[in-house]
Amino acid sequence: MDGFSGAASIITVLDVIVSLCFEYSVAVKDAKKDIERLRRKVADLRNVLEEMDKLLNDGRGKSRLWAAQDLACSLTDCIVRLEELRILLDPGRARKAMSRLGMRALKWPFTSKEIEKMIGDLERYEQTFTLALQVDETGLILDIDQKIESVDKKTDDLHQKTDSLHLKIDSAKLPVARGACFDSHMEEHNARCLENTRLELQRHVAEWAKDKNGKSIFWLNGMAGTGKSTIARTVAQSFAENNQLGASFFFKKGGGDCNNAARFFTTIATDLMVRIPALIPGIRKAIDADPSISERALKIQFEKLILSLLLEIKPVSPQALGLVVVVDALDECDQEEDIREILRLLSRTRDIVPISLRFFLTSRPELHIRLGFTQMADGTYQDLILHEIPQQTIERDIARFLEHELGEIRKLRRLSPHWPSNGQIQALVDMAVPLFIFAATACRYIGDKRSNPRKRLDILLQYNTASKVSTLDRIYLPILNQLFDDKDEGGKEERTSEFREIIGSIVVLQSPLSIASLAILLDTPKDDISCMLDLLHSILKIPDDENMPVRPLHLSFREFLLDPEKHGKSPFWVDERETHQRLTSKCLLVMSSSKGLRQNLCNLLRPGTPRSEIDKPTIDRCLQPEVRYACCYWVHHLEQSKEHICDDGLVYLFLQKYFLYWLEAMSLINKASDSINMISRLRLLTDPDRNVKTWSFLQDAKCFALRNRAILEYAPLQLYSSALIFSPAMSIIRKTFNDHIPQWTTRLSKAESNCDQNLKGHSSGISAVSFSPNGHLVASGSDDSTVRLWDVITGFCRSTLQGHFSGVSAVAFSPNGRLLASGSFDSTVRLWDVTAESYQNTFEGHSSGVRAIAFSPDSQLIASASDDSTIRLWDTVTSTCRNTLEGHSDWVRAIAFSPDGHSVASGSRDATLRLWDVATGSCSSILKGHSSGIYAVAFSANGLLLASASGDSKVRLWDVAMGSCRKILAGHSSVVRAVAFSPDGKVLASGSGDATARLWDPVTGSCRSTLLGHSNWVRAVAFSPDGKVLASGSGDSTVWLWDASTGSCRSTLKGHSRAVRALAFSPDGQVVASGRDDSKVQLWDARTKSCRGTLEGHSCGVTALAFSPNGRLAASGSGDATIRLWDVATWSCRSTLDGHSDRVNVVAFSPDSQLLASGSNDSTIRLWDVATGSSRIMLAGHSNFVSALAFSPGGQLVASGSGDSTVRLWDAATGFCRNTLEGHSSGVYAVAFSQNGQLVASGSSDSTVRLWDAGTGSCSTKFERHSRRVRALSFSSDGSNLTTDRGQIALSSPTFDTFSDEKNLQPAIFLKDQWVNSAKQRLLWLPIDYRPTCTAVWGNTIWLGNMSGDIITLEFEL
């Protein structure tokens, strides 16, 4: 077996196994976790093999896929192993016999240990195939030819091919900082070292880069103006010319994305891809695994996009063995914490092999940077201090620079050959040393074409004799004083005010703006700005084009103007806070002006237009630079102004009117993720107690933005439709902007049978819940590997924390409320920042799943209990393990700190509790009494009592001091999984496998309340800080909130329940029937959306529904292999049709309502007499499940579609198969007859619709280009259209043989992918919680049934 046939063969077997796992998951209750683990791993392996199969069959030259061809043994072993697995899962006839009793009779054939071994085997195969795939894919992409003799040519080829490869990396998901690279357009005209200057330093750096044993970091530091950036540009240029430059990043204060670290590592990774193309598959995989990786913590970005990939790959060229990354002006990164983190992360590159990655860094010697370097391990870096270079060397280089520059001015202005004199040059040198910035600024000032160079040199030299004048004063005062040369005192005051407003704004802007944009932002005439700038060309970069940005030439000018010590002493002093305050107001005014923000800013014609289809010129035209700037940076200026947001203030009023317009604009400029961060920062500027309206608005705004982030990034106009329509009814944003919902969407309704608040969340059972200390949040951990934060008041899910690789078994808030810890079956503990709702750290050390976690009262320690029989104590500050507590002989699943933090209690499967001394780690007491394993422990608030929950169905109360059992609380009928004391210690709560929670009196031991409502194990309980609310988490995927005093349910935070599998309208459209996995049929009033009744009787999920044409009967098919007929008038069961041996997939009535046809997984169709309930005939012939049925208009024929890819036409009277229609390449899921019975239409998962001649069985037409399988088909009454659940096809179209969205779709409401569509456009995006498992359309109303068991209706007016 070779790779070409092996991959496809294995995929076929894997598909069967996935299908079998699904059936087992429906039928078997006690092994769902093992089934799901196996299914996921099989699906992962299938994905890898599918990629390999695509690569092998795309025609790019199989001969070069040597790695895939070399997998014969592995492929053979894999398929043998999988065939064994398939046989064990599908035991043939015995399985069919069991299925007669219903799928519930199936028994899962494997133990957990056997599953563990299988998964290990599959992982090894997956790793083998993935490695081969990466090798071949990289080889194909790069088209590496080892015979190329010229290294230069090879490098060129790599660059060209990598350029095309970048198209495969979504730039929106790997954003870069524009202008950060040394050779960017923004850096193009900035100075390099003059020839024959800085020679010793450049030689020193070159030797460091070539030294194989050299240190991984070279730190060039020096005070402001010593030429660090010029040297960095020169060094980067040299490395680039020698093919040694890996990447570059030049930080710039006020340089937009270049003044912070948000895009530092993504920019570095993007540059490195050019030099090391083998990184590309890994980076693409990292993005696919986490599309939001560019917003993760710096540590995660560095590890996932750079470090881990460099450690895994093999070098593809000799040049890649040693690369240098140049990072300039690290001190200009705006967050000290980010700078320290960058230094800490870069120090980890010193041991990377075989690719050596080194970093050349420049910065000022600020304290936080010096501390960052001192914390590095010995041998990590070497430094060179610019201002400590011998003075004679600096003087020589500055003198050479001045001689060269002034000589150029002399030539250009045709001055005397004796100008300037040697004495004047020396005087300038004396003034400049050790600052190159002085020399550069002086030359720009002297050479300004607007004045006489001689006079300017003389003015400059006058400051050489001035006493008490700082170096920066000598640089900038001669230039600035020109502004007032011809002004009287009154004029000076006006000029000073203009200076502070214009120049002050320029130096504090986060990103530079042009004169034209500054004029609009500052509401100042362009001429005034131009006149102010005329004399400042030597300190500001002022392009001739007024639409190009103006920027300071050096950071020292900003520092000169903002220096607090100049307050009251210098007319040029700029009040930074006041300037930020003014810019905040200006930004808000620009955004709210007539040329600012509005709904549908780009005048898009279609509400579903993707942002990627809006061309850049359109966005640039509709979002002018000053408006774009205001959108991006108004929050920054507000922060720096130190102002707080007040109810009914300027910011609040802006948000009330323009919030959605602002989000739309941020989406258009690809900064949707930044807007979420900005909302969080606005919350920090709001006092929740004093400004309730603002706080509530921002709270809901963040939920709104997070919930709709995906569509916000994809299609901006869906903010006004999908985002608003699907927001909770009580959402402040929805209420505020309700009038912005398009008129074509007239109603959204949710059909509900009760008044519970059902909020979707986890997709699997909930194992842990915890209240935040202030009671505002509930955290829940789930088997779906996520942690969710819920707002207690609204019930909304605030955020989903992802990162664990297996189910989350424990969650806990730190007592100070700042941190959340989660423990997982992946053997790790993760630490999350609650305020930022982001990942912070991972604690690794356990060798098996973590089952319980607890914070110490001071929040300094975390205790974790594991299946490896140990407890570990972790330091939250240093991220180290302080102690490992050993003594239990079996898994430990319960842990708690005593209120004073001196002791830790643990409970184990060995049926004992242990008390440990935190300081020493020694065991101080062992408590025995339970007869089974202990699942939970909890201390009372005073620390005197300890409660324990056990598999013996009992709760015990222990006297901590005496070590004796005080009370045994009996009442639960199954394992007790959770216990918790109320904050006052007067109530004890417990949760059990009997699906109940109980409230106990700890003093008397009596049960106060039994809380009923969950349908599965109650795994977790937690009290709110005030003791008024109890939260319980269950395996039924819900969190319930109970009133602790009454025991009544307050609300339900619901995850997935029983999916809706079938929907059907009655013939008159007045009633809708829905079938669920919970075996029930529910009937709904189509007008009011209220539940008319529930029909019960099936013993397994309902999979098919149909109304009879006369409207008197309804039929339901089920996984229990039966069909039930219901009387529509009385809604009673008339008969149960029993005969199939497996699940019923489809039912259909004959036109006269006398016959019912049913299709099943047993590959047969049965025709039933509706009046008697008896089986008339069985139609056998299909070789796979039957998924579609339809009667001909006269009732003489039955058409059937099957998983065997065929359509069959049967004689309804005799059961004879008249024709087998072959042509589809995959399962057929929909069939329909034309009105005259002459045509049959079929829809398949091969993405085609076919038309067949009912008489001859020949295929007359094939419609292609559907994006997904077609599940529903019907002909229009006049035969001109074919209606599908993917839209309508005009059968009279000139392009009749090809499906085309533009030409063949006629007006209709239909679902396609994640969208509700009309004729030619996407109308409404469906959030994940609303995406259906089945649909039904009546006119302009669409009904959606989903996995959570909800039914949603949408009405349109088109």
Side-chain angles (χ1 to χ4, degrees):
M1 177 182 294
D2 63 12
F4 307 116
S5 59
S9 301
I10 296 177
I11 289 171
T12 303
V13 180
L14 290 171
D15 285 341
V16 175
I17 294 173
V18 169
S19 177
L20 290 170
C21 284
F22 174 76
E23 293 187 17
Y24 274 101
S25 70
V26 173
V28 179
K29 286 187 174 181
D30 57 355
K32 288 188 181 297
K33 189 176 294 184
D34 285 345
I35 297 170
E36 179 60 16
R37 289 177 66 205
L38 179 61
R39 188 199 65 77
R40 286 183 182 176
K41 184 50 61 181
V42 169
D44 290 344
L45 181 58
R46 189 194 187 285
N47 290 339
V48 173
L49 287 164
E50 193 171 46
E51 288 295 317
M52 181 181 292
D53 192 50
K54 288 179 183 176
L55 193 65
L56 292 167
N57 291 287
D58 75 349
R60 286 186 287 174
K62 294 181 179 179
S63 62
R64 294 199 303 244
L65 305 178
W66 59 270
Q69 294 181 69
D70 203 32
L71 290 174
C73 292
S74 295
L75 289 166
T76 302
D77 290 345
C78 183
I79 200 165
V80 169
R81 184 77 178 92
L82 291 172
E83 278 292 347
E84 291 173 354
L85 175 58
R86 184 190 65 77
I87 292 169
L88 290 170
L89 284 172
D90 186 9
R93 294 181 180 178
R95 177 177 171 276
K96 284 195 174 183
M98 285 193 291
S99 66
R100 296 174 195 272
L101 304 175
M103 286 299 291
R104 295 182 185 278
L106 281 179
K107 182 179 179 182
W108 183 242
F110 305 115
T111 65
S112 292
K113 287 186 177 179
E114 289 171 330
I115 289 295
E116 198 70 43
K117 186 177 184 305
M118 287 179 198
I119 289 176
D121 292 342
L122 294 178
E123 281 181 344
R124 283 190 289 276
Y125 291 128
E126 182 186 356
Q127 290 170 0
T128 300
F129 301 151
T130 299
L131 180 60
L133 179 63
Q134 288 179 348
V135 169
D136 283 341
E137 191 174 37
T138 302
L140 270 180
I141 291 168
L142 302 175
D143 196 18
I144 297 172
D145 187 349
Q146 298 298 332
K147 296 181 180 180
I148 296 178
E149 296 179 359
S150 169
V151 172
D152 290 338
K153 185 176 185 305
K154 181 176 178 181
T155 301
D156 290 340
D157 288 345
L158 289 176
H159 274 285
Q160 291 170 8
K161 296 185 183 298
T162 305
D163 286 342
S164 63
L165 234 179
H166 273 300
L167 298 176
K168 298 186 178 183
I169 301 290
D170 188 343
S171 60
K173 294 175 181 175
L174 197 68
V176 299
R178 291 181 63 244
C181 299
F182 92 97
D183 54 356
S184 68
H185 176 62
M186 291 170 60
E187 289 285 334
E188 184 177 2
H189 301 296
N190 288 332
R192 272 63 170 172
C193 291
L194 186 66
E195 189 177 358
N196 295 321
T197 63
R198 302 292 197 183
L199 297 177
E200 294 86 349
L201 192 153
Q202 291 184 61
R203 186 161 46 249
H204 190 46
V205 173
E207 290 172 354
W208 161 77
K210 292 177 182 177
D211 184 0
K212 294 182 179 179
N213 299 315
K215 296 174 181 177
S216 60
I217 297 175
F218 189 111
W219 178 32
L220 180 70
N221 72 85
M223 59 187 184
T226 50
K228 299 181 294 299
S229 294
T230 301
I231 295 168
R233 283 187 288 270
T234 305
V235 165
Q237 182 73 48
S238 174
F239 285 141
E241 291 169 354
N242 293 316
N243 291 320
Q244 286 180 278
L245 185 68
S248 61
F249 195 104
F250 280 52
F251 283 101
K252 301 177 188 70
K253 183 72 75 175
D257 293 331
C258 299
N259 75 345
N260 61 74
R263 296 184 176 178
F264 176 71
F265 284 119
T266 55
T267 303
I268 298 297
T270 302
D271 276 0
L272 286 174
M273 282 193 294
V274 177
R275 298 295 296 121
I276 315 174
L279 287 173
I280 295 171
I283 289 177
R284 189 163 60 241
K285 185 176 180 181
I287 294 173
D288 291 341
D290 183 3
S292 300
I293 193 167
S294 64
E295 296 155 40
R296 301 298 180 216
L298 293 177
K299 177 175 182 287
I300 297 176
Q301 292 185 41
F302 173 71
E303 291 176 345
K304 301 293 184 183
L305 297 174
I306 298 175
L307 183 64
S308 63
L309 303 183
L310 289 175
L311 290 171
E312 291 173 2
I313 66 170
K314 295 178 181 179
V316 295
S317 66
Q319 291 90 342
L321 288 172
L323 296 175
V324 179
V325 176
V326 176
V327 180
D328 180 53
L330 186 59
D331 55 285
E332 294 187 35
C333 178
D334 62 0
Q335 295 290 330
E336 291 185 9
E337 296 83 357
D338 286 346
I339 294 174
R340 288 197 296 269
E341 181 69 355
I342 287 172
L343 291 174
R344 189 181 70 80
L345 294 172
L346 296 187
S347 67
R348 296 171 59 186
T349 61
R350 67 175 188 165
D351 297 323
I352 293 179
V353 291
I355 292 177
S356 170
L357 193 65
R358 299 188 181 183
F359 289 85
F360 178 84
L361 308 180
T362 77
S363 78
R364 299 184 189 183
E366 308 289 3
L367 176 61
H368 58 279
I369 297 179
R370 296 202 310 272
L371 291 174
F373 276 104
T374 57
Q375 291 172 359
M376 291 182 183
D378 290 342
T380 302
Y381 79 96
Q382 71 181 72
D383 64 351
L384 192 152
I385 303 171
L386 274 177
H387 51 269
E388 292 184 1
I389 289 177
Q391 184 162 331
Q392 62 268 27
T393 302
I394 298 174
E395 284 185 11
R396 181 198 65 199
D397 288 344
I398 290 178
R400 285 177 179 173
F401 175 82
L402 287 170
E403 288 169 358
H404 176 273
E405 294 297 311
L406 294 176
E408 291 297 313
I409 294 171
R410 183 176 62 244
K411 291 178 186 177
L412 184 64
R413 304 296 291 274
R414 297 180 180 179
L415 300 176
S416 165
H418 304 295
W419 182 92
S421 69
N422 291 336
Q424 287 175 315
I425 292 177
Q426 186 58 48
L428 285 177
V429 171
D430 293 340
M431 293 173 69
V433 172
L435 304 183
F436 271 82
I437 185 60
F438 179 95
T441 305
C443 290
R444 284 193 296 269
Y445 172 67
I446 295 168
D448 194 322
K449 297 177 183 179
R450 297 166 181 79
S451 187
N452 186 332
R454 293 176 182 273
K455 289 184 179 180
R456 290 210 162 183
L457 177 56
D458 292 340
I459 292 171
L460 197 59
L461 292 177
Q462 290 174 13
Y463 287 84
N464 189 29
T465 59
S467 59
K468 298 182 180 179
V469 175
S470 70
T471 305
L472 289 183
D473 286 348
R474 289 176 177 173
I475 296 175
Y476 297 117
L477 283 180
I479 302 166
L480 297 178
N481 281 333
Q482 302 172 91
L483 299 174
F484 299 142
D485 283 350
D486 57 349
K487 302 291 180 184
D488 56 24
E489 287 304 316
K492 281 187 178 180
E493 187 174 338
E494 181 182 347
R495 191 71 163 166
T496 299
S497 178
E498 288 181 359
F499 175 86
R500 288 172 177 165
E501 180 172 355
I502 297 171
I503 308 304
S505 296
I506 289 173
V507 299
V508 302
L509 287 176
Q510 278 293 91
S511 183
L513 289 174
S514 67
I515 293 175
S517 294
L518 279 169
I520 298 173
L521 179 64
L522 302 180
D523 192 22
T524 301
K526 280 193 295 185
D527 290 345
D528 289 358
I529 296 176
S530 296
C531 289
M532 176 65 68
L533 299 179
D534 272 346
L535 298 175
L536 303 179
H537 282 253
S538 53
I539 51 179
L540 295 173
K541 186 175 183 179
I542 306 169
D544 294 332
D545 185 348
E546 66 176 22
N547 294 306
M548 295 298 290
V550 176
R551 68 181 81 228
L553 286 166
H554 197 267
L555 180 62
S556 60
F557 181 53
R558 180 182 191 275
E559 294 166 345
F560 171 78
L561 295 182
L562 303 182
D563 185 356
E565 295 193 3
K566 285 187 166 54
H567 178 35
K569 300 176 183 177
S570 169
F572 305 111
W573 177 74
V574 173
D575 187 326
E576 184 175 6
R577 179 176 174 180
E578 182 183 287
T579 305
H580 281 296
Q581 190 175 12
R582 183 170 57 251
L583 283 171
T584 302
S585 299
K586 297 292 186 183
C587 286
L588 294 176
L589 288 172
V590 162
M591 289 189 289
S592 54
S593 70
S594 60
K595 295 184 179 180
L597 305 179
R598 58 179 172 82
Q599 185 173 354
N600 193 5
L601 200 59
C602 292
N603 301 313
L604 305 177
L605 299 177
R606 299 181 178 184
T609 302
R611 180 183 55 77
S612 59
E613 292 182 8
I614 310 171
D615 59 80
K616 187 175 182 297
T618 298
I619 295 174
D620 291 341
R621 184 178 66 255
C622 298
L623 263 173
Q624 291 296 308
E626 63 278 359
V627 180
R628 186 183 299 226
Y629 177 90
C631 288
C632 293
Y633 299 116
W634 69 275
V635 174
H636 166 77
H637 291 303
L638 180 62
E639 288 174 316
Q640 298 304 311
S641 72
K642 313 299 182 187
E643 294 288 323
H644 287 275
I645 306 173
C646 301
D647 286 353
D648 300 320
L650 189 61
V651 172
Y652 177 75
L653 294 176
F654 169 79
L655 292 171
Q656 283 277 304
K657 187 174 181 179
Y658 293 94
F659 175 68
L660 287 190
Y661 308 161
W662 173 62
L663 285 184
E664 179 192 340
M666 293 295 280
S667 172
L668 289 170
I669 60 177
N670 198 23
K671 288 187 178 288
S673 58
D674 291 357
S675 66
I676 298 172
N677 174 260
M678 290 164 74
I679 296 169
S680 298
R681 288 154 56 195
L682 286 173
R683 288 169 60 205
L684 297 176
L685 300 176
T686 308
D687 186 330
D689 298 321
R690 294 182 179 179
N691 300 286
V692 177
K693 288 196 300 184
T694 305
W695 174 263
S696 300
F697 185 96
L698 291 171
Q699 182 84 346
D700 192 58
K702 182 172 183 182
C703 292
F704 179 87
L706 284 169
R707 186 167 50 240
N708 297 292
R709 176 176 180 169
I711 194 59
L712 174 61
E713 293 177 337
Y714 180 77
L717 290 191
Q718 287 296 302
L719 275 170
Y720 308 102
S721 48
S722 176
L724 287 176
I725 289 168
F726 294 111
S727 288
M730 298 305 294
S731 164
I732 295 172
I733 302 301
R734 176 170 174 171
K735 288 181 177 180
T736 304
F737 296 97
N738 194 58
D739 59 346
H740 287 65
I741 296 176
Q743 293 182 353
W744 45 259
T745 307
T746 59
R747 181 187 292 182
L748 163 72
S749 302
K750 181 176 179 179
E752 296 186 74
S753 56
N754 55 58
C755 60
D756 281 348
Q757 182 184 12
N758 298 328
L759 303 177
K760 284 30 159 219
H762 294 295
S763 58
S764 193
I766 294 169
S767 305
V769 291
S770 177
F771 271 97
S772 63
N774 61 11
H776 294 168
L777 297 176
V778 170
S780 58
S782 169
D783 291 341
D784 64 9
S785 305
T786 70
V787 177
R788 285 183 177 251
L789 291 176
W790 307 85
D791 188 296
V792 172
I793 297 174
T794 65
F796 300 159
C797 179
R798 283 260 301 267
S799 61
T800 301
L801 309 179
Q802 297 175 310
H804 283 296
F805 300 107
S806 190
V808 177
S809 51
V811 291
F813 282 96
S814 62
N816 61 18
R818 297 172 185 168
L819 300 174
L820 176 72
S822 57
S824 168
F825 294 107
D826 63 13
S827 307
T828 70
V829 175
R830 282 187 171 243
L831 206 56
W832 312 87
D833 186 304
V834 174
T835 303
E837 297 171 3
S838 61
Y839 165 80
Q840 185 164 313
N841 216 330
T842 300
F843 300 135
E844 297 177 307
H846 286 294
S847 59
S848 192
V850 176
R851 295 297 191 134
I853 51 177
F855 275 94
S856 62
D858 62 4
S859 303
Q860 300 297 304
L861 291 178
I862 296 175
S864 59
S866 170
D867 282 351
D868 64 10
S869 306
T870 70
I871 301 102
R872 284 180 176 254
L873 299 181
W874 309 90
D875 190 306
T876 60
V877 178
T878 64
S879 304
T880 57
C881 179
R882 275 205 194 172
N883 226 325
T884 301
L885 314 181
E886 298 178 299
H888 286 294
S889 58
D890 210 327
W891 50 245
V892 185
R893 294 194 179 173
I895 198 80
F897 276 94
S898 61
D900 61 9
H902 296 159
S903 299
V904 169
S906 60
S908 168
R909 190 180 181 183
D910 63 15
T912 69
L913 290 96
R914 287 178 176 251
L915 292 175
W916 309 83
D917 185 293
V918 171
T920 65
S922 60
C923 179
S924 57
S925 185
I926 301 176
L927 311 181
K928 297 181 179 181
H930 284 295
S931 59
S932 187
I934 296 166
Y935 288 89
V937 293
F939 280 96
S940 61
N942 58 16
L944 301 178
L945 292 178
L946 179 68
S948 57
S950 169
D952 60 13
S953 308
K954 295 179 177 62
V955 177
R956 285 179 176 253
L957 291 176
W958 306 84
D959 185 305
V960 174
M962 303 298 295
S964 58
C965 181
R966 277 197 186 178
K967 298 282 183 184
I968 300 177
L969 312 182
H972 285 295
S973 59
S974 185
V975 176
V976 185
R977 297 292 299 268
V979 287
F981 278 98
S982 62
D984 60 7
K986 294 180 180 179
V987 181
L988 179 72
S990 60
S992 168
D994 61 14
T996 70
R998 287 179 177 248
L999 298 177
W1000 309 84
D1001 186 314
V1003 178
T1004 64
S1006 60
C1007 179
R1008 291 172 51 170
S1009 300
T1010 300
L1011 313 181
L1012 302 171
H1014 285 295
S1015 60
N1016 205 323
W1017 287 45
V1018 178
R1019 299 177 176 179
V1021 290
F1023 280 96
S1024 61
D1026 60 7
K1028 295 180 180 179
V1029 180
L1030 177 75
S1032 58
S1034 167
D1036 63 10
S1037 305
T1038 66
V1039 177
W1040 288 59
L1041 301 181
W1042 310 85
D1043 188 302
S1045 59
T1046 65
S1048 60
C1049 177
R1050 284 191 171 189
S1051 62
T1052 306
L1053 312 179
K1054 190 175 182 181
H1056 293 296
S1057 56
R1058 297 304 179 98
V1060 179
R1061 297 293 180 185
L1063 283 170
F1065 272 97
S1066 61
D1068 60 6
Q1070 299 299 305
V1071 179
V1072 178
S1074 63
R1076 300 173 184 255
D1077 278 351
D1078 61 5
S1079 74
K1080 298 174 184 177
V1081 176
Q1082 286 188 294
L1083 304 168
W1084 310 89
D1085 187 298
R1087 183 179 61 83
T1088 66
K1089 313 302 184 293
S1090 59
C1091 182
R1092 285 190 175 184
T1094 302
L1095 313 180
E1096 301 186 50
H1098 286 294
S1099 60
C1100 201
V1102 177
T1103 52
L1105 286 170
F1107 281 91
S1108 63
N1110 61 20
R1112 297 173 185 171
L1113 295 174
S1116 59
S1118 168
D1120 62 11
T1122 70
I1123 302 101
R1124 286 183 175 253
L1125 289 175
W1126 309 89
D1127 188 300
V1128 171
T1130 63
W1131 295 115
S1132 58
C1133 181
R1134 277 189 39 177
S1135 55
T1136 301
L1137 314 182
D1138 196 350
H1140 286 294
S1141 61
D1142 209 332
R1143 183 178 69 196
V1144 177
N1145 296 319
V1146 59
V1147 290
F1149 281 94
S1150 61
D1152 61 6
S1153 303
Q1154 299 300 306
L1155 289 178
L1156 178 74
S1158 59
S1160 168
N1161 267 7
D1162 64 11
S1163 307
T1164 70
I1165 300 110
R1166 285 182 177 262
L1167 299 182
W1168 309 85
D1169 187 302
V1170 171
T1172 64
S1174 59
S1175 175
R1176 278 202 182 177
I1177 198 166
M1178 183 178 75
L1179 313 179
H1182 283 298
S1183 59
N1184 208 332
F1185 59 83
V1186 179
S1187 46
L1189 290 171
F1191 279 91
S1192 63
Q1196 297 95 340
L1197 295 179
V1198 175
S1200 61
S1202 167
D1204 64 10
S1205 309
T1206 69
V1207 177
R1208 287 181 177 248
L1209 299 181
W1210 310 85
D1211 187 301
T1214 65
F1216 175 72
C1217 179
R1218 287 196 180 181
N1219 251 319
T1220 300
L1221 314 181
E1222 297 179 311
H1224 285 296
S1225 59
S1226 191
V1228 179
Y1229 287 87
V1231 291
F1233 281 93
S1234 61
Q1235 296 298 317
N1236 58 17
Q1238 295 177 5
L1239 292 176
V1240 176
S1242 58
S1244 166
S1245 58
D1246 65 7
S1247 303
T1248 69
V1249 172
R1250 289 175 179 259
L1251 284 183
W1252 312 83
D1253 186 299
T1256 65
S1258 60
C1259 179
S1260 59
T1261 312
K1262 176 183 175 183
F1263 301 96
E1264 296 184 294
R1265 287 176 55 190
H1266 284 279
S1267 60
R1268 294 174 65 186
R1269 71 176 59 168
V1270 176
R1271 289 183 174 275
L1273 284 170
S1274 64
F1275 285 86
S1276 61
S1277 57
D1278 62 1
S1280 62
N1281 293 316
L1282 184 63
T1283 301
T1284 81
D1285 59 345
R1286 297 286 174 257
Q1288 285 190 337
I1289 304 172
L1291 301 183
S1292 58
S1293 168
T1295 54
F1296 180 68
D1297 60 339
T1298 303
F1299 183 91
S1300 168
D1301 287 347
E1302 294 298 321
K1303 295 182 179 179
N1304 289 343
L1305 282 180
Q1306 302 301 319
I1309 297 299
F1310 63 97
L1311 198 67
K1312 185 176 181 181
D1313 300 325
Q1314 304 157 11
W1315 292 80
V1316 177
N1317 294 257
S1318 68
K1320 296 179 180 179
Q1321 62 178 317
R1322 291 172 164 179
L1323 288 178
L1324 190 68
W1325 181 77
L1326 297 178
I1328 190 167
D1329 296 333
Y1330 291 86
R1331 291 173 196 168
T1333 50
C1334 55
T1335 62
V1337 178
W1338 187 272
N1340 282 337
T1341 301
I1342 185 167
W1343 286 60
L1344 313 171
N1346 61 27
M1347 284 294 295
S1348 67
D1350 292 330
I1351 296 172
I1352 307 298
T1353 65
L1354 291 162
E1355 295 182 24
F1356 297 87
E1357 203 170 271
L1358 301 172

